Amino acid sequence: MSSSRKWLRGVSWTALAVGSLLFFSILKLPDARLKAYIHGVIAAQLGAQGITFTATESALGLLLGPRYTLRGVTLEFPPPRAAVKLDELTVKPSLLATLLGKAGGSISLVQGDSSLSGTVYTRFSGRPWYQVDLDFERLNLGRLGVFSAAAGVQASALLNGSLAGTFDLDNLKDSQGKVDLQITKCVIDAQNIQGFAVPRLSISESRVEASIQGDQVAFKTLKIGKAGSADDLIATLTGKATLNRFLASSSLDLTANFSVSQNIQKSFAILDALLAPGKQADGSYSYKLGGAVNALFPTPIPAK
């Protein structure tokens, strides 16, 4: 199961939280017992994924709809992934969605000056379908352990922007939505990746704007690094993607023009020779990127 899919499945614990809130609200059980029950449900759901969950404080409100807030949250993951600490996590389950056979509601996460807010819905049963509308403000991907969980890489970056749409993780071809994300202050620590000694890399900003309709992904903007800056990688990509059932077998049809810093060239002495067929007059490189995501085939574009 992919890391992104595990993350989205983790959100589905709200389904049980919603059910328990509705049931015990009707019974009007004492607040302490209700909070303990919900806390236990969350711990059990995350525990099934090997995640240990603790919180220093919790608060439950039922006025204007149920609201459950956790503070001082610590999530302990299986090694080697580091623990994640959150200042505050709030979930407001939607009782209307429950009656319509869905689970979810609004969610907000605060970690220092980073935040995530929006809504997440899924079905109680059946295929892993998710409807999301999320906003990110300086979300610290490094502190959340996103890079280490997704690719085993030690890195940090801030995420801003929005993600909205409906996604079927069992068949991505049935998805639709919009992506408008900006990643800033991306730093990849010096480390060994797949047997290669990678130096410290820095990319000041990146941007992706895309619309998803059925199996088609149209990219409006797809840029890595800032032109004219000292970023270690500066790239502009244009084209489209065609979704298959799973992301790895989806196909790309992109044209990439990119340049790399002296820092990278010194660390990988043969890189320029390997990329030479696509080298342009200004020292950058141009390639067509086609094929499946897990088996990309780069084709050099000769200099004019």
Side-chain angles (χ1 to χ4, degrees):
M1 184 184 294
S2 68
S3 298
S4 60
R5 185 168 173 177
K6 286 182 178 178
W7 182 83
L8 286 172
R9 281 189 180 280
V11 176
S12 63
W13 61 261
T14 57
L16 290 177
V18 171
S20 63
L21 278 167
L22 179 62
F23 179 70
F24 286 102
S25 294
I26 294 173
L27 292 184
K28 297 182 180 180
L29 283 181
D31 180 82
R33 291 182 60 187
L34 183 52
K35 288 196 295 184
Y37 183 85
I38 298 173
H39 194 97
V41 168
I42 297 172
Q45 291 298 302
L46 293 177
Q49 302 175 54
I51 304 171
T52 302
F53 158 81
T54 59
T56 60
E57 183 184 347
S58 65
L60 174 66
L62 297 177
L63 186 65
L64 301 178
R67 176 191 184 99
Y68 192 56
T69 299
L70 297 166
R71 299 184 179 89
V73 178
T74 299
L75 300 174
E76 296 277 358
F77 296 86
R81 187 177 174 186
V84 170
K85 295 183 180 296
L86 306 176
D87 293 336
E88 185 174 289
L89 175 64
T90 299
V91 177
K92 295 177 64 177
S94 170
L95 300 184
L96 176 60
T98 304
L99 297 176
L100 296 176
K102 295 190 295 184
S106 64
I107 182 172
S108 67
L109 178 156
V110 177
Q111 185 188 57
D113 60 355
S114 300
S115 67
L116 175 157
S117 61
T119 58
V120 178
Y121 295 96
T122 187
R123 297 190 182 103
F124 280 117
S125 61
R127 289 159 59 175
W129 168 94
Y130 293 90
Q131 183 180 42
V132 302
D133 189 353
L134 299 172
D135 292 311
F136 309 93
E137 184 174 353
R138 294 179 55 83
L139 191 66
N140 195 312
L141 302 180
R143 288 182 184 174
L144 290 176
V146 172
F147 293 107
S148 60
V153 174
Q154 299 302 312
S156 62
L158 301 179
L159 177 65
N160 290 277
S162 61
L163 170 65
T166 302
F167 304 95
D168 186 335
L169 299 190
D170 259 0
N171 189 358
L172 288 177
K173 293 190 294 183
D174 290 339
S175 300
Q176 60 180 353
K178 291 185 178 181
V179 179
D180 186 359
L181 299 173
Q182 182 179 30
I183 297 176
T184 59
K185 299 182 179 180
C186 180
V187 174
I188 301 175
D189 299 335
Q191 60 199 288
N192 190 290
I193 301 177
Q194 298 295 318
F196 293 95
V198 177
R200 183 181 185 275
L201 304 176
S202 177
I203 300 173
S204 62
E205 62 181 55
S206 299
R207 181 74 178 272
V208 56
E209 291 181 89
S211 60
I212 305 168
Q213 188 64 48
D215 65 347
Q216 294 299 304
V217 181
F219 293 102
K220 180 180 179 181
T221 305
L222 188 52
K223 294 183 178 181
I224 301 172
K226 184 178 180 180
S229 71
D231 288 347
D232 286 300
L233 174 63
I234 300 173
T236 298
L237 299 94
T238 58
K240 63 179 183 178
T242 301
L243 296 175
N244 207 321
R245 181 176 179 183
F246 302 111
L247 181 62
S249 57
S250 298
S251 61
L252 298 177
D253 181 11
L254 301 174
T255 298
N257 179 263
F258 61 95
S259 59
V260 297
S261 67
Q262 289 296 317
N263 179 34
I264 292 180
Q265 293 187 35
K266 289 179 181 179
S267 299
F268 304 98
I270 65 171
L271 185 62
D272 184 66
L274 292 175
L275 297 175
K279 193 167 186 176
Q280 306 299 300
D282 62 357
S284 65
Y285 307 93
S286 291
Y287 276 79
K288 293 281 290 183
L289 302 177
V293 171
N294 61 354
L296 279 180
F297 187 78
T299 302
I301 300 175
K304 295 182 180 179

